[in-house]
């Protein structure tokens, strides 16, 4: 149960900048293990930062990726500040597509961009967002949710396992830059 000052609601276009900023505020690319090996850690963090820069650009709005699917949901968590202002502190999105599964067409959701501002982490917000997203997906007839987690992101893997997600593949993404770095 979230405190009364935190509300979950659907994304609105004016949330774009706040949701983009959460990429930084969620601190999702920090890995304390890398701090012990500064040279290797800096190389890995540099690659991750480069990939984040490629990913971060949502030139047509934070919801541009979602709009490419048959259907989608984006849920934000908003903090009602003491001064009456509102601030987006977390977001999660899902693309919903029809797929063929065991000779039947079903709706599948691909969950992505779960981000919680680092000042609000470990307060149940990610769980509440995820559960609300699952409820919305069920209402739309979604049968299965799928997501990917970086292999070294132990915190996220434990979180999703606690929500009932099961490890489904040992495949790992690979990247190749086709142009020289500038």
């Amino acid at each position: 149960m979230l405190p009364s000052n935190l509300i979950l609601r659907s994304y609105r276009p004016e949330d774009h900048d706040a949701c983009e900023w959460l990429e930084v505020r969620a601190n999702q690319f920090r890995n304390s293990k890398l701090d012990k090996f500064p040279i290797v850690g800096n190389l890995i963090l540099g690659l991750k930062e480069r990939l984040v820069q490629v990913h971060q650009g949502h030139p047509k709005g934070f919801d541009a990726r979602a709009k490419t699917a048959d259907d989608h949901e984006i849920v934000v968590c908003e903090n009602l500040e003491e001064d009456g202002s509102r601030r987006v502190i977390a977001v999660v999105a899902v693309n919903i597509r029809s797929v063929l599964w065991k000779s039947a067409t079903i709706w599948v959701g691909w969950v992505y961009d779960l981000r919680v501002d680092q000042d609000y982490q470990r307060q149940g917000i990610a769980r509440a967002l995820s559960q609300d997203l699952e409820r919305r997906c069920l209402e739309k007839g979604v049968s299965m949710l799928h997501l990917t987690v970086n292999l070294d992101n132990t915190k996220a893997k434990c979180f999703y396992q606690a929500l009932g997600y099961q490890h489904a593949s040992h495949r790992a993404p690979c990247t190749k830059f086709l142009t020289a770095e500038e």
Side-chain angles (χ1 to χ4, degrees), residues 27-179:
N27 202 15
Q28 64 192 102
F29 294 104
R30 174 136 173 76
N31 185 334
S32 59
K33 291 178 187 173
L34 297 178
D35 294 341
K36 297 175 187 172
F37 307 99
I39 294 173
V40 174
N42 287 336
L43 288 171
I44 292 171
L45 289 175
L47 177 59
K48 286 183 176 181
E49 286 174 12
R50 178 87 167 168
L51 291 173
V52 168
Q53 289 171 359
V54 169
H55 167 75
Q56 265 185 331
H58 296 99
K60 296 180 181 174
F62 180 80
D63 60 345
R65 179 176 173 189
K67 289 179 178 177
T68 65
D70 296 327
D71 198 357
H72 69 276
E73 282 287 335
I74 302 175
V75 183
V76 299
C77 180
E78 190 172 61
N79 185 23
L80 305 176
E81 307 280 346
E82 289 180 11
D83 65 2
S85 64
R86 297 169 177 253
R87 187 170 80 122
V88 173
I89 59 165
V91 65
V92 66
V94 64
N95 280 0
I96 301 169
R97 299 183 189 276
S98 63
V99 299
L100 187 61
W101 178 262
K102 296 184 179 179
S103 303
T105 301
I106 64 169
W107 292 103
V108 175
W110 277 267
V111 180
Y112 62 96
D113 283 347
L114 174 60
R115 305 170 182 173
V116 179
D117 185 298
Q118 64 190 4
D119 293 340
Y120 294 86
Q121 292 178 4
R122 311 272 322 144
Q123 297 179 32
I125 295 169
R127 178 179 295 279
L129 269 175
S130 297
Q131 290 170 338
D132 189 68
L133 186 73
E134 288 177 15
R135 178 190 58 77
R136 291 170 185 239
C137 286
L138 278 170
E139 289 174 1
K140 292 182 176 235
V142 173
S143 302
M144 178 190 316
L145 292 177
H146 174 78
L147 56 84
T148 60
V149 176
N150 292 333
L151 294 174
D152 64 345
N153 194 340
T154 305
K155 186 168 79 169
K157 290 193 293 188
C158 290
F159 170 73
Y160 286 117
Q161 188 174 27
L163 288 179
Y165 286 81
Q166 299 173 8
H167 180 82
S169 174
H170 291 286
R171 299 184 68 150
C174 298
T175 301
K176 177 182 179 181
F177 290 102
L178 297 178
T179 59

